[in-house]
Amino acid sequence: MSFASHPTSSPALPGGQRIQGAEAVLKDTCWPALEAVQYAVFERVLEGFARHRVGEEHFSSVTGYGHDDLGRTVTDKVFAHALQAEAALVRMQFVSGTHALAVALGGALRAGDTMLSLTGAPYDTLEEVIGIRGAHPHSLKARGVHYDAIDVLEGGTFALPSTPEVEGRIRRSAMAYIQRSRGYSLRPTLTIAQLEQLCAWVRRLNPGAVILVDNCYGEFTEDREPTAVGADLIAGSLIKNPGGGIVPTGGYLAGRADLVETCAGVLTAPGIGTGGGYTFDLTRLVLQGLYLAPGAVKEALKGMTLAAHVFESLGYETRPHWQDVRGDIIQVITLGDADRLVAFCEILQALSPVNSAVRPIPSPVPGYADPVVMAGGTFIQGATLELSADGPLREPYAVYLQGGLTYAHTRLALERAVDRLQEL
């Protein structure tokens, strides 16, 4: 299925009518599956709360070193259950998903090891962590770790490049690194079914390799997590999906217990590991965020399927298409020119609960070759489970729409955006 990057000459129906037409289709096609995923994930999350006997006593913090913090311990266990992992490390001390990934890389790799990315170039923010860009003294490269990359999504289609040369590179690597979401690319997000194939392929060729998945934006979008289909370690941010829209900061690692403990020693110190760290009286909020997360993710996915259907009806190219299985909360819409991209972000910003009077202006962003326009008046700075959008000002002028804690917010923003774009 292909679509034009500019609108077609279809009738200029008001945004509200287009949305009603899309909803009539989606309620009997995509949305029942999203409800089923939410139910399955929520049942697992609630089971974790019950199994580990979460009580009010877990909502109090211990100061100082944080020794014997019952809330921190139970939070790790409940998150591990929700993420289908042996263990988890959930900490406010993680400043971002990139930080969590950097700790995972630092904990799992040693001098002389090779990190093999299976999904091509990683997020820009990891380039300095790895040593692809810059010369930071604490990069993996500076520590003697080698970097290699292949791309199982080259050309936009998932395929395992099973050549002797590629298989040899996998056998020689200590880590297989997988980025689940797309970043600022147009390649598809990996589904759990594809991740399962990929993990099985690596495991057959190199049983000892650590499989690390960047799980940002992907948590709870399907009824299984990468740790349920072969990943040894996953990492992500609490201001994305698993924080439910209310956790103010932090990140997590989850996976094999030995790897989680080793990585905890990188975050804190060898010998301290998971046994320390003040939780800033946020245990209740973190656990409540996890409780809310399956529903919030479902609301976001409903909004993204609506966006895809409406903009496909207008003749724009979208990725993924409205009927596709979704592996993350991001919807890409190719708008075709800079004016449409900026106008879309202006509408979304104007309908934000915070900073609605601010006008998004394309600006240089460190790490990017082109100016980027960003919209997102969110309660938590940078929280992409809240409705937000951004995109670089370069061909094909795609907007990356994500999140939406409530379907109603996304619906309203799309209605206004359609009306505005049809005026251009």
Side-chain angles (χ1 to χ4, degrees):
M1 184 182 296
S2 62
F3 297 86
S5 59
H6 290 271
T8 66
S9 57
S10 59
L13 295 175
Q17 289 186 29
R18 285 196 179 272
I19 285 172
Q20 290 172 8
E23 289 175 327
V25 175
L26 293 167
K27 69 182 181 65
D28 294 323
T29 53
C30 296
W31 289 354
L34 299 181
E35 297 280 354
V37 168
Q38 179 200 0
Y39 184 86
V41 173
F42 181 75
E43 184 177 31
R44 187 170 72 239
V45 167
L46 202 58
E47 182 182 66
F49 277 82
R51 176 173 296 185
H52 298 291
R53 301 189 177 190
V54 173
E56 290 185 17
E57 66 273 17
H58 294 120
F59 298 160
S60 300
S61 291
V62 177
T63 57
Y65 300 121
H67 292 166
D68 302 315
D69 188 322
L70 298 179
R72 186 187 62 225
T73 300
V74 83
T75 298
D76 287 346
K77 290 179 179 178
V78 173
F79 265 77
H81 188 90
L83 294 167
Q84 299 175 290
E86 290 180 5
L89 179 72
V90 183
R91 295 293 182 273
M92 301 301 101
Q93 287 79 11
F94 284 123
V95 301
S96 64
T98 296
H99 184 199
L101 287 162
V103 168
L105 292 166
L109 291 165
R110 307 286 180 269
D113 285 348
T114 295
M115 167 194 172
L116 175 63
S117 173
L118 302 182
T119 44
Y123 283 141
D124 296 50
T125 55
L126 281 176
E127 289 180 352
E128 289 188 83
V129 173
I130 296 168
I132 301 170
R133 174 168 52 88
H136 198 284
H138 297 300
S139 70
L140 294 179
K141 181 179 178 181
R143 290 175 42 210
V145 175
H146 307 292
Y147 171 76
D148 190 11
I150 61 175
D151 194 351
V152 298
L153 292 161
E154 191 170 9
T157 302
F158 175 75
L160 302 179
S162 296
T163 65
E165 188 269 338
V166 167
E167 292 185 358
R169 288 156 70 184
I170 292 173
R171 290 189 176 97
R172 293 189 294 271
S173 298
M175 173 182 285
Y177 177 84
I178 303 168
Q179 181 179 296
R180 184 175 179 182
S181 194
R182 70 178 73 241
Y184 269 159
S185 75
L186 296 178
R187 62 91 158 167
T189 294
L190 286 168
T191 65
I192 287 293
Q194 291 168 337
L195 281 167
E196 187 170 27
Q197 292 180 55
L198 193 49
C199 290
W201 181 54
V202 172
R203 195 67 71 212
R204 176 177 62 82
L205 296 169
N206 188 347
V210 173
I211 301 175
L212 168 62
V213 176
D214 174 355
N215 205 31
C216 287
Y217 306 100
E219 299 93 348
F220 310 144
T221 56
E222 298 190 65
D223 60 3
R224 295 182 296 170
E225 294 298 315
T227 30
V229 297
D232 296 299
L233 199 58
I234 58 176
S237 168
L238 296 185
I239 65 170
K240 296 182 175 67
N241 302 16
I246 64 171
V247 180
T249 190
Y252 74 89
L253 299 176
R256 274 174 32 197
D258 61 323
L259 286 172
V260 170
E261 187 62 42
T262 298
C263 293
V266 175
L267 178 66
T268 55
I272 296 178
T274 57
Y278 178 45
T279 54
F280 303 98
D281 291 309
L282 290 173
T283 302
R284 179 194 61 78
L285 201 63
V286 172
L287 288 170
Q288 189 175 10
L290 178 63
Y291 167 84
L292 293 171
V297 170
K298 187 262 295 182
E299 290 288 289
L301 293 177
K302 281 184 66 176
M304 295 306 100
T305 58
L306 179 68
H309 194 288
V310 167
F311 276 86
E312 286 176 23
S313 75
L314 285 165
Y316 291 95
E317 182 179 0
T318 67
R319 302 183 188 207
H321 299 309
W322 65 267
Q323 71 273 45
D324 290 344
V325 174
R326 291 174 178 265
D328 65 12
I329 58 168
I330 298 171
Q331 179 62 52
V332 183
I333 305 167
T334 301
L335 294 172
D337 67 49
D339 288 343
R340 288 191 180 92
L341 174 56
V342 173
F344 187 102
C345 290
E346 286 177 347
I347 287 294
L348 190 139
Q349 186 72 41
L351 287 169
S352 296
V354 181
N355 291 330
S356 60
V358 173
R359 182 179 179 183
I361 297 174
S363 306
V365 176
Y368 298 96
D370 303 283
V372 177
V373 60
M374 296 186 174
T378 56
F379 289 99
I380 296 169
Q381 190 180 70
T384 45
L385 186 57
E386 297 184 57
L387 187 62
S388 55
D390 50 81
L393 263 71
R394 62 171 182 249
E395 292 286 352
Y397 297 103
V399 66
Y400 294 76
L401 179 68
Q402 60 251 331
L405 293 176
T406 69
Y407 172 76
H409 187 187
T410 305
R411 187 188 193 280
L412 181 60
L414 291 172
E415 180 179 336
R416 301 286 178 84
V418 167
D419 288 342
R420 177 71 180 94
L421 292 176
Q422 290 187 138
E423 295 172 357
L424 295 179

